[in-house]
Amino acid sequence: MDTEEKQTINKNIEKKDKEKENEKKINNISTLKSTNKNELNDLKEKLLNNQKKIHDIKLRHLAYIENIKKDSEIKIKNIKNIKKEEFFKKIIPIIDILEDTLSFAQKSNLDKESLVQGIQLILESLLKIIYKFGVKIEGKKNEAFNPKIHNVILTESSTEIQPDHVIQVTRKEKCLHPKKPRCADNGDGCDDFKI
């Protein structure tokens, strides 16, 4: 073999080696690209998961704040109702005394006196005030008897009024919560009626 042939064989071997190296490089590059794509997809997925977690945390904080607001509003409403109830428990006996005074004055034919008329005006003013706060007067003549709010002091029969109906009211009940029968004056939940 002469040198030229050796050189051509060497060149061919070198060419083949370079081609193999190039193939290896191309394979490495494609492997790197696929690895980078996989890593990129993994990073995108992690980013989306983290964004979802952040959004979830924000929603939880907003819900927590909203719950605090609602709890505060409920507590404030309860405090107001308790104070309102305490006020009415103090004012209702005064109204009852004024009603008894007017009833006595009417029986004694003193209802034309200026003092009695002044008491009548004071009573009307107090009643208007408590009506504005939601107090309802329970117990009217010819109303069906309700044991939750009525207290029987005497049973009579009447030709004018149906059985089991109120014939006469001796003291009207003032209810702050008409849905739940509950007396606002002395706490016993009942006033006196004849049926």
Side-chain angles (χ1 to χ4, degrees):
M1 284 194 170
D2 58 359
T3 47
E4 273 185 33
E5 281 180 23
K6 282 183 181 180
Q7 281 181 348
T8 14
I9 292 175
N10 279 341
K11 279 185 184 179
N12 283 341
I13 292 175
E14 281 179 18
K15 244 185 190 180
K16 285 181 183 178
D17 284 344
K18 281 185 180 182
E19 284 177 5
K20 284 182 182 177
E21 276 184 40
N22 283 340
E23 280 182 31
K24 282 183 182 178
K25 285 181 181 178
I26 290 171
N27 285 339
N28 283 343
I29 289 173
S30 63
T31 310
L32 278 175
K33 282 184 180 179
S34 66
T35 307
N36 285 342
K37 282 184 182 179
N38 289 340
E39 285 179 9
L40 184 63
N41 288 337
D42 288 345
L43 288 174
K44 283 181 181 178
E45 192 176 320
K46 285 180 182 179
L47 180 65
L48 285 174
N49 287 339
N50 286 338
Q51 286 175 340
K52 286 179 184 177
K53 285 179 184 177
I54 290 170
H55 182 68
D56 188 47
I57 290 170
K58 284 181 181 178
L59 287 178
R60 287 174 192 248
H61 283 293
L62 290 174
Y64 182 72
I65 290 169
E66 193 64 32
N67 286 341
I68 289 173
K69 284 181 185 177
K70 286 180 183 177
D71 288 345
S72 298
E73 288 172 1
I74 289 170
K75 286 178 183 176
I76 289 170
K77 186 178 178 182
N78 287 341
I79 290 170
K80 284 181 179 179
N81 286 339
I82 288 168
K83 292 301 177 183
K84 194 189 309 184
E85 202 168 315
E86 286 175 3
F87 170 73
F88 288 122
K89 283 184 178 181
K90 290 177 183 174
I91 194 108
I92 295 297
I94 295 169
I95 291 173
D96 289 341
I97 290 170
L98 292 174
E99 286 175 341
D100 290 345
T101 304
L102 289 176
S103 175
F104 178 75
Q106 202 171 32
K107 288 177 185 174
S108 303
N109 293 326
L110 298 173
D111 51 345
K112 299 293 181 205
E113 296 287 326
S114 59
L115 179 64
V116 175
Q117 290 174 351
I119 292 173
Q120 177 68 34
L121 291 173
I122 292 170
L123 179 63
E124 288 172 7
S125 298
L126 286 173
L127 289 175
K128 284 180 187 176
I129 290 170
I130 65 170
Y131 291 153
K132 286 181 184 176
F133 284 102
V135 172
K136 304 285 183 210
I137 303 286
E138 297 288 342
K140 296 175 185 163
K141 188 176 177 180
N142 203 13
E143 175 180 81
F145 178 76
N146 182 353
K148 291 181 179 177
I149 60 172
H150 300 140
N151 185 17
V152 178
I153 59 168
L154 183 63
T155 304
E156 293 179 357
S157 58
S158 172
T159 55
E160 298 171 9
I161 297 177
Q162 301 172 9
D164 293 330
H165 280 64
V166 176
I167 295 173
Q168 179 183 355
V169 178
T170 57
R171 182 174 305 268
K172 294 180 182 176
E173 180 180 348
K174 285 85 176 170
C175 290
L176 181 57
H177 308 287
K179 291 179 185 170
K180 302 182 237 171
R182 185 177 181 186
C183 195
D185 58 353
N186 59 6
D188 65 2
C190 301
D191 283 324
D192 301 328
F193 300 90
K194 285 184 184 179
I195 59 168

